[in-house]
């Protein structure tokens, strides 16, 4: 009589049908077909490439190949009847679990005389790695590559403070648009250090700016949005009226097909390019809408944030005007920045916690909080993102700029990021001017 140990029952769960079919047919191949050494080498190379070097594979395996000595984790999975995760899943899991997110800033710069005004936009980072920050009547430039600082401009009238900044879209990133309290939009060549032109038309301060190619759009306390063609002698090419109070948030989408505007009237407007009527007028927020950010990896996805009486971040499908989701952040929402490497975004906040929050976007409007970052002693009014997409700089009413290396990097490993952060520390913190 045969015992259980004498029986050999093939295990078909790990059976590769295509490989077994190849092995069976290879027994009947014509020996003359592989007669030449060159062709034999080619067939061996092809076999190793296609079959992933499974030269000792069996037609009917008698045990699960995962049950190997020294691999207890996979053996346990095999006993439980679960299949191992795919290589892609393992790679994604390793990336998420090994992601290093520092809880402290990489660098701190003092920014004396930074105006504590929620409705202004006083910070922007260019494609050429130059950070521009407005300090009352002056604009200073900080070169992130060389750590050098220079003063670009100072307005002549003591009451004429700088109220908004925006770098141009050109690859060199050498043109800076500056909005002032005197209702002007100035264009500056930062390489030459001179003003190119001044554009007028508003009746009150210019608190928001956004570029779309050669057109700069400006939002003002007079509640009007103007489009300026910087190449034309008659620069004004369009005017939008959809707000009743100051336009403090203004952003063109990456495709330049839609413009989002937010105002102190608690209204969010979505405008189509070359049309002077808002496609959607949204009244969901209960406070001023300043924080606006378009998703870089999904068309028609917009994030908006409300002020102190609202405290919510809303995610919108701007194709149909539908609100996908809203999140109560418990604090005034001042700014939002999407990551260009991961499905994440960062929000900065004022009353009552003065923190930054990193969020992971899970699709269909769903978001999950990853980490909260604290350190600022007053509301975090502005944010900008480095051109390599790894660092967020925050500007707060405590008159400091803090650099947070919290976004994913396509070229640096978690271990290298952690080492760089530990060696940099906060030594060398200095003043922006």
């Amino acid at each position: 009589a045969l015992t259980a140990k004498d029986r050999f029952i093939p295990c078909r769960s790990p059976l590769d049908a295509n490989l077994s079919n190849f092995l069976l047919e290879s027994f009947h191949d014509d020996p003359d077909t592989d007669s030449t050494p060159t062709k034999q080498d080619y067939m061996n190379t092809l076999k190793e490439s296609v079959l992933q070097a499974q030269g000792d594979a069996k037609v009917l395996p008698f045990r699960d190949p995962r049950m190997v000595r020294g691999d207890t984790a996979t053996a346990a999975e095999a006993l439980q009847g679960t299949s191992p995760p795919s290589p892609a899943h393992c790679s994604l899991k390793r990336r998420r679990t090994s992601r290093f997110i520092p809880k402290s800033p990489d660098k701190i710069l003092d920014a004396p005389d930074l105006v504590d005004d929620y409705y202004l936009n006083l910070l922007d980072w260019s494609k050429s790695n130059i950070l521009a920050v407005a300090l009352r009547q002056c604009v200073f430039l900080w070169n992130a590559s060389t750590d050098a600082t220079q003063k670009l401009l100072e307005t002549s009238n003591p009451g004429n403070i700088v109220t908004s900044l925006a770098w141009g879209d050109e690859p060199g990133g050498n043109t800076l648009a500056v909005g002032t309290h005197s209702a002007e939009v100035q264009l500056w060549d930062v390489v030459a250090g001179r003003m190119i032109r001044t554009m007028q038309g508003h009746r009150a301060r210019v608190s928001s700016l956004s570029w779309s190619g050669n057109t700069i759009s400006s939002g003002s306390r007079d509640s009007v949005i103007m489009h300026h063609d910087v190449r034309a002698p008659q620069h004004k090419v369009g005017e939008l009226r959809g707000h009743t109070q100051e336009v403090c948030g203004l952003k063109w989408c990456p495709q330049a097909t839609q413009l989002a505007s937010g105002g102190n009237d608690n209204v969010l407007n979505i405008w189509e390019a070359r049309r002077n009527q808002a496609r959607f007028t949204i009244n969901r927020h209960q406070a001023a809408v300043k924080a606006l950010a378009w998703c870089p990896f999904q068309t028609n996805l917009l994030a908006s944030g409300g002020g102190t009486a609202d405290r919510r971040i809303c995610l919108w499908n701007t194709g149909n005007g539908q609100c996908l989701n809203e999140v109560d952040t418990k604090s005034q929402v001042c700014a939002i920045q999407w990551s260009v490497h991961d499905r994440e975004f960062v929000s900065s906040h004022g009353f009552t916690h003065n923190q930054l929050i990193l969020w992971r976007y899970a699709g269909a409007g769903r978001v999950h909080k990853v980490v909260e970052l604290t350190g600022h002693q007053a509301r975090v009014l502005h944010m900008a993102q480095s051109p390599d997409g790894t660092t967020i700089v925050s500007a707060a009413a405590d008159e400091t700029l803090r650099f947070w290396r919290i976004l994913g990097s396509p070229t640096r490993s978690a271990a290298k990021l952690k080492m760089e952060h530990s060696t940099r520390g906060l030594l060398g913190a200095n003043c922006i001017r």
Side-chain angles (χ1 to χ4, degrees):
L2 295 176
T3 63
K5 293 183 179 180
D6 297 323
R7 301 184 63 194
F8 293 90
I9 302 176
C11 178
R12 300 184 185 275
S13 59
L15 178 63
D16 187 332
N18 293 329
L19 176 60
S20 300
N21 181 65
F22 169 80
L23 293 174
L24 285 172
E25 291 182 352
S26 64
F27 296 151
H28 306 288
D29 287 344
D30 186 357
D32 294 333
T33 57
D34 295 327
S35 55
T36 64
T38 302
K39 195 164 187 178
Q40 184 63 50
D41 291 341
Y42 168 75
M43 293 300 295
N44 290 337
T45 303
L46 183 63
K47 178 180 177 181
E48 292 177 0
S49 176
V50 175
L51 301 181
Q52 300 179 354
Q54 300 182 37
D56 59 345
K58 303 297 187 296
V59 176
L60 292 176
F62 291 97
R63 65 172 180 171
D64 193 326
R66 289 172 290 176
M67 299 282 290
V68 294
R69 184 175 301 175
D71 192 352
T72 58
T74 54
E77 290 177 353
L79 289 173
Q80 295 171 4
T82 58
S83 59
S86 64
H89 178 78
C90 292
S91 176
L92 180 60
K93 186 175 181 181
R94 283 196 301 271
R95 181 179 179 183
R96 288 182 178 175
T97 55
S98 63
R99 169 84 175 276
F100 172 67
I101 302 176
K103 301 295 180 63
S104 59
D106 198 51
K107 186 179 184 66
I108 298 178
L109 295 177
D110 291 330
D113 293 329
L114 183 73
V115 178
D116 183 7
D117 191 327
Y118 175 80
Y119 304 101
L120 306 185
N121 293 273
L122 307 178
L123 188 71
D124 202 12
W125 206 331
S126 76
K127 296 177 181 178
S128 56
N129 211 19
I130 306 295
L131 182 69
V133 57
L135 305 177
R136 297 199 67 81
Q137 296 174 244
C138 303
V139 173
F140 288 88
L141 305 178
W142 180 71
N143 190 319
S145 301
T146 64
D147 211 30
T149 303
Q150 74 174 88
K151 180 179 176 180
L152 177 66
L153 68 95
E154 182 175 0
T155 60
S156 56
N157 189 336
N160 187 22
I161 64 172
V162 176
T163 52
S164 54
L165 296 172
W167 287 101
D169 288 336
E170 74 274 13
N174 295 323
T175 303
L176 181 66
V178 178
T180 67
H181 191 271
S182 61
E184 293 180 338
V185 177
Q186 302 176 0
L187 293 184
W188 284 78
D189 183 339
V190 298
V191 175
R194 64 181 181 88
M195 185 170 65
I196 302 171
R197 68 181 301 180
T198 299
M199 297 176 291
Q200 299 176 338
H202 286 293
R203 302 187 308 275
R205 69 181 188 181
V206 179
S207 47
S208 54
L209 295 166
S210 184
W211 285 88
S212 175
N214 294 305
T215 300
I216 178 74
S217 299
S218 57
S220 171
R221 183 180 270 179
D222 63 13
S223 74
V224 176
I225 300 169
M226 289 188 179
H227 302 316
H228 313 268
D229 188 336
V230 299
R231 302 165 300 177
Q234 300 299 323
H235 57 85
K236 183 179 175 182
V237 294
E239 181 177 293
L240 305 177
R241 294 181 178 269
H243 293 275
T244 58
Q245 296 188 41
E246 184 167 16
V247 181
C248 51
L250 199 62
K251 284 290 187 297
W252 279 98
C253 72
Q255 298 78 23
T257 56
Q258 289 185 320
L259 174 69
S261 65
N264 194 30
D265 52 5
N266 309 345
V267 171
L268 169 64
N269 281 322
I270 307 298
W271 310 83
E272 297 290 343
R274 296 181 295 276
R275 299 192 65 175
N276 57 8
Q277 294 293 328
R279 181 178 181 186
F280 300 109
T281 296
I282 301 168
N283 297 280
R284 193 180 188 97
H285 287 288
Q286 303 300 313
V289 184
K290 177 196 174 188
L292 297 172
W294 292 92
C295 178
F297 55 80
Q298 183 172 326
T299 306
N300 294 337
L301 179 59
L302 173 72
S304 64
T308 306
D310 183 75
R311 305 184 304 273
R312 291 176 297 172
I313 293 176
C314 294
L315 295 167
W316 304 93
N317 179 345
T318 61
N320 56 20
Q322 177 187 3
C323 181
L324 302 175
N325 191 16
E326 65 176 39
V327 181
D328 185 359
T329 67
K330 311 298 182 183
S331 295
Q332 176 189 47
V333 185
C334 300
I336 299 173
Q337 287 280 335
W338 284 91
S339 169
V340 297
H341 300 307
D342 293 296
R343 298 171 69 87
E344 298 174 344
F345 65 87
V346 184
S347 58
S348 69
H349 301 270
F351 309 116
T352 56
H353 300 300
N354 305 323
Q355 82 277 40
L356 281 75
I357 303 178
L358 177 64
W359 306 85
R360 177 170 293 278
Y361 181 70
R366 295 173 292 116
V367 296
H368 306 292
K369 183 187 296 186
V370 178
V371 67
E372 288 196 20
L373 304 168
T374 57
H376 281 293
Q377 303 303 310
R379 54 183 180 174
V380 188
L381 296 167
H382 317 288
M383 285 196 303
Q385 187 172 166
S386 62
D388 66 359
T390 64
T391 303
I392 289 289
V393 58
S394 57
D398 60 6
E399 298 186 346
T400 64
L401 305 178
R402 295 173 186 252
F403 296 79
W404 311 84
R405 202 177 182 84
I406 57 176
L407 300 180
S409 171
T411 58
R412 290 180 174 87
S413 65
K416 188 172 183 179
L417 286 172
K418 188 173 183 178
M419 181 184 66
E420 289 178 357
H421 180 77
S422 62
T423 55
R424 290 188 188 193
L426 297 181
L427 296 178
N430 50 25
C431 186
I432 191 70
R433 67 178 186 182

